[in-house]
Amino acid sequence: MPYYHVKDTKLFIEDEGKGVPIIFLHPAGMGRKVFYYQKELAKQFRVIMPDLSGCGDSENPSYTKYGLLSTYAEELVELLDVLGIEKVILCSYSCGGTVAQQFCLLYPERVKGLILTGGFPVVNTRPLQWEHLLGLHFIKKSPSFVSNVISLAHTRDRAFKNELLQHMKKANPSVWHQFYVESYRFNIVHDLHRFSWPILAMYGARYDITSHYHHYYDELTSDVFFIHDAFHELPTLNWRQVNLLITGFIYKHDLQE
């Protein structure tokens, strides 16, 4: 059953494979399609890919009283309960990492491991700030333009680009905008000491966000990798390396048990 009711919201979920569960958390507006190539991991693990509420094929969130990131964390923990999962590996991409890290802060007992692909604990570099501010501007002005730019940047395959584009067009612009607002304001630098489970952080070596890695490398016991000659769009443009790093991380830390 691809749809599940959580927090009075109907979420669309892809759930494939067996073994240790990995839940994939997409960036603002993109939806689960960005993890198309990570479905290969279902040959070894249980791969769970939701459209977060307000994105893709999921309904809009029923409430955001305590903020969208907290709402997403609450939806996810209820989803785990519905699926009968006690602990999960969180695998996020870009600002989907804000959802993953918010979940870690609120429900640390449900976390088995954390994977950040282009993740950050705070927006404090000029390129990342401008990326958020431009996103906020154009999402209000022309969500279709943003969808085109982002989908084009993530693949050279015309059919897959169109699939990403059509999926992104389903996102609620207001939810998308709020996601960016909260991601822009996100700052858990002083809470990172609470992260006690294995962490994998991977970055494209040619993307400025790599300056954030030291937060995970210096303050935590983390595996940090830079993918040579790559930018930010790792799950689609560098998916083979990403999948290998995820697999190696899980076996290295015995998370498959």
Side-chain angles (χ1 to χ4, degrees):
M1 182 177 68
Y3 282 101
Y4 292 86
H5 283 88
V6 297
K7 306 298 291 185
D8 298 320
T9 300
K10 190 164 67 172
L11 298 184
F12 189 96
I13 311 293
E14 290 192 49
D15 186 354
E16 300 180 18
K18 296 180 180 180
V20 61
I22 312 171
I23 192 162
F24 288 81
L25 301 173
H26 61 77
M30 287 207 75
R32 71 188 192 279
K33 298 283 187 177
V34 73
F35 294 118
Y36 173 81
Y37 294 107
Q38 280 64 60
K39 291 182 182 181
E40 287 283 324
L41 294 169
K43 296 175 181 177
Q44 302 177 71
F45 314 112
R46 183 176 179 183
V47 170
I48 303 166
M49 298 180 176
D51 281 329
L52 297 172
S53 56
C55 303
D57 295 308
S58 291
E59 292 182 342
N60 293 326
S62 59
Y63 72 104
T64 55
K65 182 178 179 181
Y66 302 107
L68 187 64
L69 297 182
S70 293
T71 295
Y72 282 156
E74 292 173 9
E75 289 177 352
L76 289 170
V77 78
E78 187 169 315
L79 177 63
L80 293 183
D81 291 340
V82 170
L83 296 175
I85 297 172
E86 181 181 354
K87 290 189 175 186
V88 69
I89 297 171
L90 300 165
C91 183
S92 61
Y93 168 46
S94 192
C95 66
T98 61
V99 179
Q101 292 172 96
Q102 183 76 359
F103 184 94
C104 288
L105 291 177
L106 294 177
Y107 306 104
E109 72 283 357
R110 307 299 295 269
V111 180
K112 199 176 183 74
L114 174 63
I115 300 171
L116 299 166
T117 308
F120 49 87
V122 60
V123 176
N124 64 353
T125 63
R126 188 61 59 87
L128 196 55
Q129 290 170 342
W130 274 110
E131 182 178 309
H132 278 77
L133 292 173
L134 286 171
L136 287 168
H137 172 74
F138 283 107
I139 287 165
K140 274 196 169 182
K141 195 169 184 177
S142 179
S144 179
F145 172 77
V146 179
S147 299
N148 268 289
V149 170
I150 293 176
S151 59
L152 185 62
H154 278 79
T155 182
R156 299 177 183 89
D157 182 282
R158 183 173 296 182
F160 183 40
K161 185 264 181 186
N162 188 61
E163 186 175 352
L164 281 174
L165 175 61
Q166 297 307 317
H167 198 65
M168 291 184 71
K169 285 183 176 181
K170 298 177 183 179
N172 182 319
S174 296
V175 175
W176 193 349
H177 186 272
Q178 184 63 25
F179 199 148
Y180 263 128
V181 167
E182 294 191 26
S183 175
Y184 183 70
R185 297 173 178 170
F186 190 72
N187 186 346
I188 61 159
V189 169
H190 299 298
D191 292 307
L192 287 175
H193 67 278
R194 297 165 56 184
F195 288 14
S196 58
W197 41 83
I199 297 173
L200 167 63
M202 62 184 101
Y203 301 92
R206 299 182 67 184
Y207 190 62
D208 181 75
I209 203 173
T210 56
S211 61
H212 290 284
Y213 86 93
H214 68 87
H215 290 292
Y216 305 107
Y217 186 77
D218 295 342
E219 302 177 35
L220 303 168
T221 303
S222 307
D223 298 338
V224 179
F225 291 92
F226 298 97
I227 296 179
H228 176 68
D229 203 29
F231 287 94
H232 187 55
E233 300 80 13
L234 301 182
T236 54
L237 296 183
N238 304 88
W239 64 270
R240 290 181 178 85
Q241 296 99 315
V242 167
N243 290 2
L244 282 172
L245 286 171
I246 291 173
T247 301
F249 170 74
I250 290 173
Y251 284 104
K252 173 184 175 181
H253 295 281
D254 293 324
L255 300 180
Q256 77 279 11
E257 298 178 355

